[in-house]
Amino acid sequence: MSYNVAALSKLVEQFERMPGIGHKSAQRMAFYVINMDKEDAKSFASAIEEAHDKILQCKICCNLTQEEVCSLCSNDSRDKSVICVVEDPRDVMAIERTHDYDGTYHVLHGVISPLNGIGPDQLSLKELLSRIGSSEVKEVILATNPTVEGEATAMYISKLIKPMGVTASRLAYGVPVGASLEYADEVTLSRALEGRRII
Amino acid sequence: MSYNVAALSKLVEQFERMPGIGHKSAQRMAFYVINMDKEDAKSFASAIEEAHDKILQCKICCNLTQEEVCSLCSNDSRDKSVICVVEDPRDVMAIERTHDYDGTYHVLHGVISPLNGIGPDQLSLKELLSRIGSSEVKEVILATNPTVEGEATAMYISKLIKPMGVTASRLAYGVPVGASLEYADEVTLSRALEGRRII
């Protein structure tokens, strides 16, 4: 292409590298940035740098935070005897949105996935084990995703922690609320049958 | 939500303001930024600021450029007697990709749209008229979008420039190459019939 504005192509390239953003979307976003006020563009750029500089991992639960210990771990009204183990900080947000859980979390930052070269050592398992070893933890809820890797990771962790005298539990499988049985896949449906409850 | 990381929410908010980006995508993009290398995040932030600072409008055709005159206007091998009038810099890119046009462009940066409060004064029409008045322009191709506003803008410009002794033309309407007649809308099809050519 003979027509090329270097600063523009560079910006489009940056957006294109993001997950779920193709060339057209990246272009649209770059044009949006160019049409921004100077002030807005500055604050956008600084938001990116700040997010990168200021966000740390909580030294207890490995969740993202701006302090040394996150607001969930430092909150005295949360039940410290239950730890919910999740793959990703977004899963913490999802569970918090239910307003139904008042225990603490532990963020693994991934799942065991030999195909992608991710073994137990790359996850924050050491921190989890030292938490269980040193505090009054009674139950660990393994809330990894219901995928093959998530399943394997949950199994692996449950085998590690059971000898420590802690209850390991897993989220219930079943048909999602509001869904139609007709469209549920076989595995989900058979798990829902398996886990049926007396009403 | 009791769990909130200020720097993260700020970044998500920034992405959410972009066209076509919802909350979930913005969140995914923010997490992508957090997981970037420090170096990459820096260069992303600077790409945004640079794009905003360095990109100017060409003083001839009003297209985006990093110099005073864009590479298309300063290119001697382009035919200066034809001007293709488009709404947006992206349209220039689209036409350039055809490799079938060797004239120059004029970017309006919008279309006349009374509903959105955009009149002829907000477009770069003055620049276009002074170009036509002062140089050897023979033809103006009105390549605004085939929408109501684009149509009206093309009409408006053609009425302005016809008295100046310049040919005004419009892109051909018809069925898109590779499409199926079955799915073409009535207006497009009747325009395609109207514009049929002897083979």
Side-chain angles (χ1 to χ4, degrees):
Chain A
M1 199 170 68
S2 65
Y3 163 66
N4 203 337
V5 183
L8 180 62
S9 329
K10 204 171 130 192
L11 188 59
V12 172
E13 231 168 67
Q14 289 281 3
F15 281 122
E16 226 175 335
R17 285 162 54 187
M18 308 218 135
I21 304 295
H23 186 68
K24 287 269 167 189
S25 303
Q27 222 175 39
R28 219 188 315 156
M29 290 164 80
F31 274 93
Y32 174 80
V33 168
I34 293 170
N35 291 325
M36 267 175 161
D37 290 342
K38 204 179 170 67
E39 270 315 296
D40 286 349
K42 269 229 167 69
S43 71
F44 184 20
S46 72
I48 288 171
E49 285 201 85
E50 261 178 36
H52 212 266
D53 290 344
K54 287 194 186 163
I55 296 178
L56 315 163
Q57 284 188 13
C58 168
K59 68 172 186 176
I60 298 178
C61 71
C62 302
N63 194 3
L64 300 179
T65 171
Q66 287 191 251
E67 288 100 45
E68 210 171 326
V69 173
C70 76
S71 59
L72 293 169
C73 287
S74 59
N75 186 343
D76 287 332
S77 67
R78 307 287 302 213
D79 182 0
K80 300 286 191 296
S81 69
V82 188
I83 298 179
C84 178
V85 178
V86 295
E87 291 180 22
D88 193 283
R90 274 166 287 190
D91 301 335
V92 174
M93 292 180 187
I95 295 177
E96 279 300 288
R97 274 199 295 275
T98 66
H99 297 288
D100 259 345
Y101 177 69
D102 72 342
T104 58
Y105 293 92
H106 195 86
V107 181
L108 295 176
H109 290 286
V111 270
I112 299 171
S113 168
L115 277 178
N116 298 314
I118 301 175
D121 295 342
Q122 270 102 317
L123 309 179
S124 60
L125 279 177
K126 229 172 19 204
E127 288 86 348
L128 176 63
L129 296 181
S130 77
R131 267 178 93 178
I132 297 174
S134 67
S135 62
E136 75 290 41
V137 177
K138 290 198 191 94
E139 183 181 357
V140 173
I141 304 172
L142 297 163
T144 49
N145 285 331
T147 57
V148 176
E149 284 102 344
E151 222 43 76
T153 309
M155 272 300 143
Y156 182 86
I157 297 175
S158 73
K159 278 190 185 140
L160 279 183
I161 60 177
K162 267 187 188 155
M164 301 169 91
V166 189
T167 313
S169 60
R170 186 97 177 93
L171 289 186
Y173 288 110
V175 280
V177 179
S180 159
L181 286 195
E182 191 184 348
Y183 299 118
D185 64 294
E186 296 78 10
V187 185
T188 302
L189 213 48
S190 70
R191 294 292 188 100
L193 273 170
E194 205 180 298
R196 70 186 179 278
R197 292 164 63 170
I198 309 289
I199 50 168
Chain B
M1 199 170 70
S2 65
Y3 163 67
N4 202 339
V5 183
L8 180 63
S9 329
K10 204 170 131 193
L11 189 59
V12 171
E13 232 168 67
Q14 288 280 4
F15 280 122
E16 227 175 336
R17 288 162 53 188
M18 308 219 135
I21 304 296
H23 184 70
K24 287 269 168 189
S25 303
Q27 220 175 41
R28 217 186 319 154
M29 289 163 80
F31 274 94
Y32 174 80
V33 168
I34 292 171
N35 292 326
M36 266 175 162
D37 289 342
K38 205 178 170 68
E39 271 313 296
D40 285 349
K42 269 230 166 69
S43 71
F44 184 21
S46 71
I48 288 171
E49 285 201 84
E50 261 178 36
H52 212 265
D53 290 343
K54 287 195 185 162
I55 296 177
L56 315 162
Q57 284 188 12
C58 169
K59 67 173 188 178
I60 298 177
C61 72
C62 301
N63 194 1
L64 300 179
T65 172
Q66 288 189 249
E67 288 100 45
E68 212 173 325
V69 173
C70 76
S71 58
L72 293 168
C73 287
S74 59
N75 186 342
D76 286 332
S77 66
R78 307 288 302 211
D79 182 359
K80 300 286 191 299
S81 69
V82 189
I83 299 178
C84 178
V85 178
V86 294
E87 293 180 21
D88 194 283
R90 272 166 288 189
D91 301 336
V92 174
M93 291 180 189
I95 296 177
E96 279 300 288
R97 274 198 295 274
T98 67
H99 296 290
D100 259 345
Y101 177 68
D102 72 342
T104 58
Y105 293 92
H106 195 86
V107 181
L108 294 176
H109 290 286
V111 270
I112 298 172
S113 169
L115 278 178
N116 298 315
I118 301 174
D121 296 342
Q122 270 102 316
L123 309 179
S124 60
L125 279 177
K126 233 176 13 209
E127 289 86 348
L128 176 63
L129 296 180
S130 79
R131 269 177 90 178
I132 297 172
S134 66
S135 61
E136 74 291 36
V137 178
K138 289 197 191 95
E139 183 181 356
V140 172
I141 304 172
L142 297 163
T144 49
N145 284 330
T147 56
V148 176
E149 284 101 346
E151 221 44 73
T153 308
M155 273 299 144
Y156 181 86
I157 298 175
S158 73
K159 278 191 184 140
L160 279 182
I161 60 176
K162 268 188 189 156
M164 301 169 92
V166 188
T167 312
S169 61
R170 185 99 178 91
L171 289 186
Y173 289 109
V175 280
V177 178
S180 159
L181 286 195
E182 192 185 347
Y183 299 117
D185 64 296
E186 296 79 8
V187 185
T188 302
L189 214 48
S190 70
R191 294 292 186 100
L193 273 169
E194 205 181 297
R196 69 187 178 280
R197 292 163 65 170
I198 309 289
I199 49 170

